[in-house]
Amino acid sequence: MKSVTNLLLAMSLFALTACAQTNKKNSERMNNKTLVAYFSATGTTRQEATILAKAIQADLYEIKPEAEYTDADLDWQNDKSRSSAEMKDKNSRPAMKKDLKDADKYDIVFIGFPIWWYTAPTIINTFMDTYDMSGKTVYLFATSGGSTPDKALEQLRKQYPKVNFKTAKLVNGASEEELREWAAR
Ligand SMILES: Cc1cc2nc3c(=O)[nH]c(=O)nc-3n(C[C@H](O)[C@H](O)[C@H](O)COP(=O)(O)O)c2cc1C
């Protein structure tokens, strides 16, 4: 009889410890500060970034160029347009408004952008150079006419080796539920 009581006691203790550990993990996750930062020239990425931030209750920050992109700037068929010139120059760092407060407090950062010439616009480099993301967990998301953000992920990993880049998701028309599921995974 005594051994049965001991066994029951041990099992209860095990269950209690497991429960405490799960609670600790959950509260650690909740204490992690999450940011959704995005650049959007014509509003498509903004829409998805806004949905994502709401779905995961993260802070939302828009990466704003000092000089907004005009339609002429975005003309990819003109190889002299501003976007063409920037994307041809790997060192281009279009000036951005630097008004993100307490960037250090974020552990997890989602970075969104439109795909330009199969990769991330170079203003994303300006953002990465301005706010040191070393050691932070970063997820990429993008909108496009069909290209995936795979090349952007590969290039950014090479350019910023101290950043813990995880995955990159194409979010064209993604719903709140889809974005929440992706972020939860
Ligand atoms: C300069 C430029 C280059 C683009 N290059 C690509 C591309 O390589 N592949 C693609 O699928 N879409 C490309 N697009 C389309 C955009 O990625 C797409 O319209 C995006 O959703 C726009 O997002 P935004 O409204 O947030 O700026 C390009 C658009 C521009 C303006």
Side-chain angles (χ1 to χ4, degrees):
M1 188 65 187
K2 199 174 168 201
S3 63
V4 173
T5 317
N6 281 346
L7 182 68
L8 283 174
L9 254 174
M11 281 168 70
S12 317
L13 259 176
F14 178 77
L16 272 174
T17 316
C19 186
Q21 271 172 357
T22 309
N23 282 342
K24 192 173 165 234
K25 263 192 195 162
N26 281 344
S27 77
E28 271 169 10
R29 234 174 257 151
M30 280 163 71
N31 287 336
N32 275 343
K33 289 256 178 261
T34 305
L35 174 71
V36 174
Y38 71 94
F39 163 66
S40 180
T42 54
T44 316
T45 314
R46 176 180 302 118
Q47 198 174 331
E48 294 301 325
T50 308
I51 297 172
L52 174 65
K54 187 173 162 241
I56 61 173
Q57 295 174 327
D59 292 349
L60 183 63
Y61 176 72
E62 181 173 2
I63 300 167
K64 289 197 205 94
E66 283 285 356
E68 273 187 35
Y69 289 86
T70 62
D71 287 348
D73 290 340
L74 296 171
D75 184 356
W76 53 272
Q77 286 172 311
N78 174 0
D79 69 355
K80 294 200 170 53
S81 73
R82 176 179 166 196
S83 58
S84 296
E86 285 175 4
M87 296 307 286
K88 268 190 250 165
D89 176 7
K90 282 197 180 90
N91 297 316
S92 101
R93 295 292 184 269
M96 58 172 275
K97 292 179 182 156
K98 297 174 180 167
D99 51 3
L100 173 62
K101 303 231 160 56
D102 299 330
D104 284 348
K105 77 178 178 192
Y106 298 104
D107 307 301
I108 301 172
V109 183
F110 288 78
I111 302 177
F113 46 83
I115 298 290
W116 282 5
W117 292 103
Y118 308 102
T119 191
T122 49
I123 196 166
I124 297 302
N125 292 103
T126 315
F127 177 76
M128 298 296 296
D129 291 350
T130 306
Y131 302 106
D132 184 11
M133 297 279 147
S134 302
K136 294 186 193 295
T137 299
V138 173
Y139 297 85
L140 304 179
F141 64 99
T143 67
S144 77
S147 303
T148 71
D150 295 354
K151 188 173 170 191
L153 177 64
E154 189 188 316
Q155 288 182 337
L156 287 164
R157 269 189 178 140
K158 277 193 195 136
Q159 290 164 340
Y160 304 94
K162 291 184 181 160
V163 179
N164 185 13
F165 287 104
K166 295 284 189 184
T167 53
K169 183 173 168 63
L170 186 65
V171 296
N172 286 349
S175 65
E176 182 170 338
E177 199 183 331
E178 196 182 329
L179 292 174
R180 191 185 296 115
E181 262 176 34
W182 170 59
R185 252 185 281 132

